[in-house]
Amino acid sequence: MILTKAQYDEIAQCLVSVPPTRQSLRKLKQRFPSQSQATLLSIFSQEYQKHIKRTHAKHHTSEAIESYYQRYLNGVRKNGAAPVLLELANEVDYAPSLMARIILERFLQKHEEAPPSKSVINSMLRDPSQIPDGVLANQVYQCIVNDCCYGPLVDCIKHAIGHEHEVLLRDLLLEKNLSFLDEDQLRARGYDKTPDFILQVPVAVEGHIIHWIESKASFGDECSHHAYLHDQFWSYWNRCCCQDSCPL
């Protein structure tokens, strides 16, 4: 289904006033029943990430970090089983996984001799059982599994979806008997930055000649299109001598 600019703007405007929770996604689906869950989730995620980027700095001042950490400590003293970190993240309008990272880093700074490395933090977020405090481990786990837009669980899901769409695209190209080279074959030929597939024999689609295809498996708003053009598509266009392209 094609989404018009007006429809997209209506959905994006609706997202301004809702928190990044599964409950909000259900409400969004009820308001826009004609749109697929995948489309709404992708738009939801992109709009929320824009919001997080705009407000990121204020959550990482020394004053904010210390305030969050003390509120966490006070909360778990009262009830260690309550979702203290998750509720704190929702209250201050910050992604739960990112709030968990802030508190985990602060905890390790206090209890470890050396500052924690990024790899150690990432490993603990992927597997909270590594965290040397059971209460904090549970709090971090709650944040990770309840975050719709950030965190290792979301990263894993995005990677799986991206791989799935590449496989589906490959199967479709084979079904249509189109000759192509994939990323691995292109890298073996010395390409460093490559699209997912280069068509060895270009095809015409709706009046455009298509030389290569890049599968993104996500909603393409104006902001993401500009970013992909700058970071990837123009280099593909130049290297493949293309006059038209087809990012999907």
Side-chain angles (χ1 to χ4, degrees):
M1 177 182 291
I2 296 176
L3 189 70
T4 67
K5 180 65 164 58
Q7 289 173 319
Y8 166 75
D9 289 339
E10 184 181 2
I11 295 171
Q13 184 60 38
C14 178
L15 291 173
V16 172
S17 59
V18 299
T21 65
R22 289 180 174 83
Q23 290 78 11
S24 296
L25 282 175
R26 284 194 284 268
K27 292 179 182 177
L28 202 62
K29 180 61 178 175
Q30 292 171 358
R31 179 164 178 180
F32 302 98
S34 63
Q35 303 300 331
S36 71
Q37 182 80 4
T39 297
L40 293 174
L41 177 58
S42 187
I43 297 174
F44 182 96
S45 178
Q46 288 179 348
E47 291 300 312
Y48 187 67
Q49 287 174 27
K50 293 177 190 175
H51 168 71
I52 291 297
K53 289 177 181 178
R54 289 193 299 267
T55 61
H56 175 82
K58 76 175 186 179
H59 296 290
H60 284 262
T61 65
S62 57
E63 294 82 4
I65 292 173
E66 193 59 31
S67 173
Y68 296 158
Y69 187 61
Q70 292 304 318
R71 291 182 64 179
Y72 158 73
L73 292 177
N74 293 334
V76 295
R77 285 194 195 103
K78 295 176 182 177
N79 185 357
V84 176
L85 268 188
L86 182 60
E87 292 177 353
L88 175 59
N90 290 335
E91 180 184 334
V92 301
D93 196 14
Y94 199 48
S97 292
L98 300 183
M99 177 61 74
R101 176 181 287 273
I102 287 176
I103 300 304
L104 177 58
E105 288 181 350
R106 179 65 180 82
F107 171 85
L108 293 175
Q109 288 171 1
K110 181 178 180 180
H111 292 85
E112 302 291 332
E113 294 182 359
S117 66
K118 186 175 180 180
S119 62
V120 169
I121 296 292
N122 289 339
S123 179
M124 288 183 176
L125 291 173
R126 286 192 297 267
D127 179 11
S129 67
Q130 298 178 23
I131 299 173
D133 180 273
V135 173
L136 179 56
N138 181 54
Q139 295 287 328
V140 169
Y141 173 78
Q142 291 178 35
C143 287
I144 297 299
V145 299
N146 284 285
D147 197 323
C148 298
C149 303
Y150 284 91
L153 181 58
V154 172
D155 291 341
C156 184
I157 293 172
K158 287 181 178 178
H159 178 78
I161 292 174
H163 179 69
E164 177 188 11
H165 280 72
E166 287 182 21
V167 171
L168 291 172
L169 178 55
R170 174 190 292 274
D171 290 345
L172 183 60
L173 293 174
L174 291 172
E175 180 185 321
K176 300 297 183 181
N177 293 317
L178 297 176
S179 180
F180 62 85
L181 297 173
D182 62 23
E183 284 184 292
D184 292 335
Q185 292 170 313
L186 291 168
R187 289 197 180 97
R189 296 188 177 198
Y191 288 80
D192 54 349
K193 293 184 69 174
T194 69
D196 291 325
F197 300 96
I198 287 181
L199 302 182
Q200 293 182 294
V201 179
V203 298
V205 177
E206 297 182 355
H208 299 280
I209 303 302
I210 306 302
H211 295 257
W212 54 267
I213 304 173
E214 173 75 11
S215 175
K216 288 302 179 188
S218 63
F219 184 83
D221 62 2
E222 289 181 283
C223 182
S224 60
H225 274 306
H226 284 303
Y228 287 136
L229 276 169
H230 179 270
D231 296 338
Q232 293 178 287
F233 298 158
W234 285 127
S235 65
Y236 298 165
W237 188 91
N238 290 327
R239 294 183 183 207
C240 301
C241 299
C242 299
Q243 296 182 2
D244 290 283
S245 59
C246 184
L248 298 179

